[in-house]
Amino acid sequence: MYQYDEYDQRIVDERVAQFADQTRRYLAGELSEDEFRPLRLQNGLYIQRHAPMLRIAVPYGNLNSKQLRTLGHIARTYDRGYGHITTRQNIQFNWPRLEDVPEILDLLARVQMHAIQTSGNCIRNVTSDPFAGVAADEHVDPRPWCEILRQWSTFHPEFAFLPRKFKIAVNGAKEDRAVIQIHDIGLDLVRNAAGELGFRVLVGGGLGRTPIIGEEVAAFVPWQQILNYCEAILRVYNLHGRRDNAYKARIKILVKALGVPEFARQVEEEFAHLKDGPSTLTQAEIERVASRFNDPVLSPLEQDAGYRARLAEDKAFAAWARRNVREHRVQGYASVVLSLKPYGVAPGDLSAEQFDAVADLADRYAFGEVRSTHEQNIVLASVREADLVALWQDARAIGLATPNIGLLTDIISCPGGDFCALANAKSIPIANAIQDRFDDLDYLFDIGDIEINISGCMNACGHHHVGHIGILGVDKNGEEFYQVTIGGRQGNDAALGKVIGPSFAAAEMPDVITSLIDNYIDNRQDGERFIDTVRRVGVESFKTRVYAERSARQEAKEAAHV
Amino acid sequence: MSDIIKNGRIQADDWSVLRLAEGDQAATVALPAGRVIVPLAVWQARRDELRAKAEAGVLGVWLAGDEDPAQVAGDLSVLPVIAVDFPKFADGRGYSIATLLRTRLGYGGELRAIGDVLRDQFFFLVRCGFSVLQPREGKYSAAQLRAALDSLQDFSEPYQGAVDRPEPLFRRQPRNPLRKEAA
Ligand code: HEM
Ligand code: SF4
């Protein structure tokens, strides 16, 4: 992963000093609440239901073992013993005290970490493919580009007070695993007809209360110009994005209001002035940044016979390998996903002990490095095939080997009403209730690939719009209800789900999911995934089934009472 | 008289800022005596009348967040001061306006941040080309303003180019690649 140089370290150290002074002035009453808010937000500090919440940046999801141990230490010392991986690959702590935050940031700076711009109306953490650098379908490693964008956007003086938050994601693989279509800017590394590298640029994606799939604004921007082009986009947005209404302030609203052609024209006009300017990237700079990733240099290994033999004879291991192990671009290696979705745990949570234990696994089996995923799991990018059995056993011992990656119980969920002050409804208990209902592993395997995403309100932190099944917490006369969508998807054909009908009480949710799954099982053609069946047969069939079975349940209940 | 920060130093200042009140007309509003920074609308309505004052160095113009700096493109050599208003500190349009004035339009005169100008944004303001920072009158004590001067040095080597240092870090300083060992 990327290794700081003296300049990277200095900037982070200077930030620690700056924020310590700001916090001191706030606590001394010199800074008003309103004046301090954006300062703390740009350091990832929210004031939440119970306590401040601190969001720590994990640039494009990359972490090393030393950092994991620091996070474990923070969880133990300043929190209640756990942390949470978010859908933007960051880590959140729910219980730190404001007074402690400068000290926490200081600990983080010592391991090349920070909380810079993890919140606030600025350019946020750049996200990417958790399998970057090792995926078999990758044509360009997105990480150096992410790092270049990270540096460019860090304390960008012109774009620190945008109309609203701004999120950038980068993809360099055939299959987009960074959900670039739901970001303010989605960058797709592509080659033009001449074979030159550049970016296809999407703008205006986003979820929240007005979900929109991003649209192409430029088919090809040469890599040298990407910062200039991004600057043009940001300047148009900064000057013309709405500032009168926070709900209409994202760039997607500006793009919709102007229309893509007019928005693109304004960006091009601005870009014409910036093109070939000082921010133009050079080959030397790309190579330098790429060189600062201390990736292991892997040579192909013999396929491991022991691993293959174990697959044949050990059903539990084979189940794990099938769901949690992925093909690596180098023969003899694999990528492994540690599931943070065991039964009965908040999706994405890691205890302090697990942070430490994952660090140990990383050191033992994965060259000291892990990635966080937007699905709220952890990836060990490069593991020898010969080590998979031992890794599995060790991961099992710490509860991180649930063989459910991509299955129904691998639910994405926001913190919801248990933690978040904005929530309409709880999310985590719904995730857990659904996991409880579907506790038969053979059945889960039979259902196959499916994504359930849960958000506790329309801010959509849990990406419910792009879940195959999306669950949204709504408030109905002060009671917690849930609206269900189906047909959403992430990836190359990202799409927004459609609402199936009136919302449900919390207690009904496992039954609703059962009805949806039963309808899928009854209608699927061989090999078809849930999402494909929804696409083929349409939403109506699912809707009819869900509400018919709901009425039947209610009638049965009433009958039981007479 | 209020204290401002000019080119990194605190000094007393006698420019006043004219803001149109309800019912004021740009064409007829009375100008206060002394050095004054007027709204763009006033300048546009009375350019001929005010030009001499500008040339004498006692009249400048301020832009609101929704005003295109290109509207003063023809006046840059005449105006001794251009100010950009921050109605709220969190309204960041002024950063782009300042950047455009400096880089696109080539304005080299005094560029002043007025309105809700807070010390925690000084660093960003200066990087975008503001040469004068004018917090609201009474906002900071003299001691606070002195302490705030330090914040101009909060980050010694910023990554990206901006008005103050047009070249990004990778062009300003040698940055080293990492030597690799085989695993
Ligand atoms: C608990 C404190 C949190 C608060 C107060 C909060 C608040 C918000 C708000 C207000 C939005 C909507 C922004 C908009 O539409 O302009 C939003 C969006 C988002 N949040 Fe959170 N959030 C929190 C936690 C999280 C967590 C834990 C995650 C990850 C699991 C997360 C991931 C996201 C994502 C991915 C979006 C983007 C949706 C989009 O593209 O519009 N947030 N958040
Ligand atoms: S979706 Fe709503 S409830 Fe969930 S974390 Fe975001 S703001 Fe909170």
Side-chain angles (χ1 to χ4, degrees), chain A residues 11 18 25 56 84 91 123 149 154 176 297 351 354 356 377 466 507 509 515 555:
Chain A
I11 282 177
Q18 183 197 45
R25 281 187 282 131
I56 294 164
H84 178 78
I91 304 263
I123 305 173
L149 286 160
T154 297
D176 167 27
V297 181
S351 68
Q354 284 174 325
D356 289 343
N377 291 310
V466 290
M509 285 313 295
S515 298
E555 276 162 26

Side-chain angles (χ1 to χ4, degrees), chain A residues 140 158 176 232 263 272 277 288 394 396 407 476 498 520 528:
Chain A
V140 184
E158 191 182 338
D176 167 27
F263 176 78
R288 184 191 69 78
D394 289 356
R396 250 192 353 170
L407 296 180
K476 231 160 106 175
K498 294 204 173 60
Y520 156 62
E528 203 173 49

Side-chain angles (χ1 to χ4, degrees), chain A residues 147-428:
Chain A
E147 178 58 27
I148 283 167
L149 286 160
R150 181 189 79 83
Q151 297 190 12
W152 167 76
S153 60
T154 297
F155 305 134
H156 198 300
E158 191 182 338
F159 306 130
F161 292 93
L162 297 169
R164 200 71 183 85
K165 58 165 87 168
F166 204 90
K167 303 177 177 182
I168 303 179
V170 188
N171 169 50
K174 208 156 91 194
E175 177 66 26
D176 167 27
R177 285 175 289 268
V179 227
I180 61 171
Q181 292 181 78
I182 58 161
H183 282 76
D184 296 277
I185 294 183
L187 296 176
D188 202 11
L189 280 151
V190 293
R191 290 194 185 276
N192 64 9
E196 294 156 339
L197 185 66
F199 293 87
R200 184 169 74 96
V201 180
L202 312 179
V203 180
L207 300 177
R209 62 183 71 211
T210 317
I212 294 179
I213 298 287
E215 292 194 63
E216 184 177 297
V217 166
F220 186 81
V221 175
W223 61 264
Q224 295 90 336
Q225 305 295 342
I226 194 61
L227 296 183
N228 295 326
Y229 196 82
C230 287
E231 184 173 326
I233 294 173
L234 265 299
R235 185 166 297 145
V236 169
Y237 172 54
N238 192 39
L239 284 169
H240 304 298
R242 282 182 64 172
R243 291 176 185 268
D244 58 329
N245 180 342
Y247 300 138
K248 297 192 165 20
R250 295 279 295 271
I251 195 172
K252 60 192 174 187
I253 305 292
L254 177 66
V255 174
K256 276 281 168 232
L258 293 175
V260 173
E262 171 57 17
F263 176 78
R265 190 197 62 75
Q266 293 190 13
V267 170
E268 279 301 325
E269 191 176 302
E270 186 58 38
F271 176 57
H273 294 284
L274 299 170
K275 193 161 178 278
D276 299 325
S279 301
T280 304
L281 290 166
T282 62
Q283 188 66 36
E285 174 61 359
I286 307 306
E287 283 170 14
R288 184 191 69 78
V289 173
S291 86
R292 298 204 66 84
F293 285 79
N294 65 342
D295 291 349
V297 181
L298 307 177
S299 353
L301 302 174
E302 292 279 319
Q303 293 196 332
D304 187 68
Y307 164 54
R308 269 145 240 280
R310 186 68 176 247
L311 279 182
E313 71 207 21
D314 185 335
K315 193 169 167 246
F317 177 67
W320 178 78
R322 186 164 146 210
R323 295 310 314 190
N324 299 35
V325 175
R326 280 178 50 100
E327 195 190 347
H328 194 285
R329 68 149 62 129
V330 180
Q331 181 185 302
Y333 287 88
S335 298
V336 169
V337 187
L338 300 176
S339 170
L340 304 191
K341 318 291 177 69
Y343 290 88
V345 172
D349 268 11
L350 274 176
S351 68
E353 294 66 39
Q354 284 174 325
F355 274 112
D356 289 343
V358 171
D360 292 343
L361 293 185
D363 282 339
R364 214 171 302 147
Y365 302 114
F367 304 92
E369 195 195 306
V370 310
R371 288 43 175 328
S372 53
T373 77
H374 83 265
E375 288 97 349
Q376 303 176 292
N377 291 310
I378 289 208
V379 164
L380 303 176
S382 298
V383 178
R384 284 185 203 87
E385 270 185 16
D387 287 337
L388 287 172
V389 175
L391 165 58
W392 172 62
Q393 285 162 339
D394 289 356
R396 250 192 353 170
I398 53 171
L400 299 181
T402 311
N404 64 346
I405 299 306
L407 296 180
L408 188 146
T409 51
D410 183 8
I411 295 173
I412 295 180
S413 168
C414 80
D418 293 301
F419 296 98
C420 177
L422 304 179
N424 288 326
K426 295 191 184 68
S427 311
I428 296 165

